[in-house]
Each structure stands twice: as structure tokens, then as C-alpha cells.
Amino acid sequence: MRKKLVFIFNIGDQENAAIKQAEDEMIEAIKKNDGNGINISRLNIMNAAELVSELKSLFNEPWDEYYIHYSGHGLPNEIIFKDSIANDALKNLFYDGRVKFCFLSACFSFELAQLLSPKIPYVIGSKNKMGVKFGERLTQRFYELSLKDKMSIPDAFNKSFSEFNPTAKDEIGTKVYLTFSELTNPKQLNDLNLIAATN
């Protein structure tokens, strides 16, 4: 089975050299941890039109399964680039039956996670703000557990959060909502309080 993991980054953030370097290091660390032969790639997106074009092109490729990770900015009803794209428009773009997982590492991405969850088996989104450092640490650890240690998505998700220190001031109060289609009620949401590590 041919699988592709795609990281979508808001290119506006790359004006900050430290963030760009952290993203590059994270992707390289994830690639090193992949023991499953998954194709891992990165899309740098500047605006909504570019996102639409890149996703359409991506889903024309001959992969059996897609795993999508978005890292960037979000508001309750939209994802932000140099412009924005409404959640309803994104929902239609992601409704390719081969998308098996979507991690929305963005503030206020819960509504989009809810919209995607009926068609995508695993969706992660945040109801509130999600700090950059928290997102980086969570992402790297989650993929280390799921790719290198070959944990299931639910187990990797839960373990990655259990390792965070509860003293990080800028992350206190963050809640991330995870949906799993195999739950008794597919719309059931696990409300998890997530606190980032301080080091």
C-alpha cells in the first residue's frame, strides 16, 4: 500500500527564520523516524488559491492513502494564509476517500475538525489557541511514536500528551479535540486538556 504524509505550512510564517528552521528540523526528524516507507513531503502555501491548486494536484497522484498535517494559523471559521479560506470550502477539498488522517495544528481548528470527521477516520483539531512551541513538540513526538514505534494513531496521540509538563504558562488552557470514526458514536469527541513542556 502506497502512503503519503503531507505537511502543509503557512509560508507567511517562513518570514521568521527561527520558525522555518524549526519546521525543517521537525520534518527531518520525522523522516528519520519513519520505519514504514511512507512518502513524506512538504507544501509551502502562501494563499488560499495556492492551497486549492496544490490539494487538487496532490489528490491526482496515485497514492492509496493520504495523511495530511496542517501547521499554521486558524480562526473559528477559517484557516489563515496571506488571505483566508472558509472551513466549508476546505471540507470539500479534503473529501477524497483516500485521506485517512488529518492533523490541524492551528488555533481554533476544532470546527474544521468536526466538519472533516464524518469522512476522515482520524482528525485532530484545537478548540482554543495552540502555541507554536507546543505544536512543534506535539507534532514531532506524535510522529515519532506513530512512525518509529508503530503505535496506533489513538495510542500515539494519547501518549504524546501524557509526556508534557503542566507548567508551561503560554499553553495552559489549550484543549485539543480528537475524533475517531471507530468509536461507538462516530461524532463523539474526546476533550483533552493539553499542556506543553517547558524545555
Side-chain angles (χ1 to χ4, degrees), residues 47-63:
N47 56 46
E50 188 175 7
L51 177 66
V52 170
S53 174
E54 290 288 350
L55 285 176
K56 286 181 178 178
S57 176
L58 176 68
F59 294 139
N60 281 327
E61 295 177 11
W63 301 98

Side-chain angles (χ1 to χ4, degrees), residues 148-163:
K148 180 181 179 184
D149 296 348
K150 300 189 179 183
M151 284 189 174
S152 68
I153 289 173
D155 288 346
F157 180 83
N158 290 323
K159 183 169 174 53
S160 62
F161 291 130
S162 71
E163 297 175 2

Side-chain angles (χ1 to χ4, degrees), residues 122-141:
Y122 302 102
V123 184
I124 299 171
S126 176
K127 182 135 189 171
N128 299 304
K129 289 185 177 181
M130 179 181 282
V132 172
K133 288 182 181 178
F134 172 77
E136 289 169 1
R137 292 178 182 135
L138 170 63
T139 297
Q140 188 164 339
R141 184 61 177 145

Side-chain angles (χ1 to χ4, degrees), residues 44-99:
N44 296 316
I45 303 296
M46 184 172 293
N47 56 46
E50 188 175 7
L51 177 66
V52 170
S53 174
E54 290 288 350
L55 285 176
K56 286 181 178 178
S57 176
L58 176 68
F59 294 139
N60 281 327
E61 295 177 11
W63 301 98
D64 298 310
E65 292 184 356
Y66 288 95
Y67 301 85
I68 307 293
H69 185 105
Y70 169 74
S71 180
H73 303 297
L75 291 174
N77 299 311
E78 59 193 4
I79 294 295
I80 305 297
F81 294 95
K82 292 204 172 194
D83 53 6
S84 64
I85 183 166
N87 287 344
D88 283 334
L90 279 170
K91 174 186 76 172
N92 296 327
L93 287 173
F94 280 87
Y95 270 9
D96 182 291
R98 296 169 294 163
V99 178

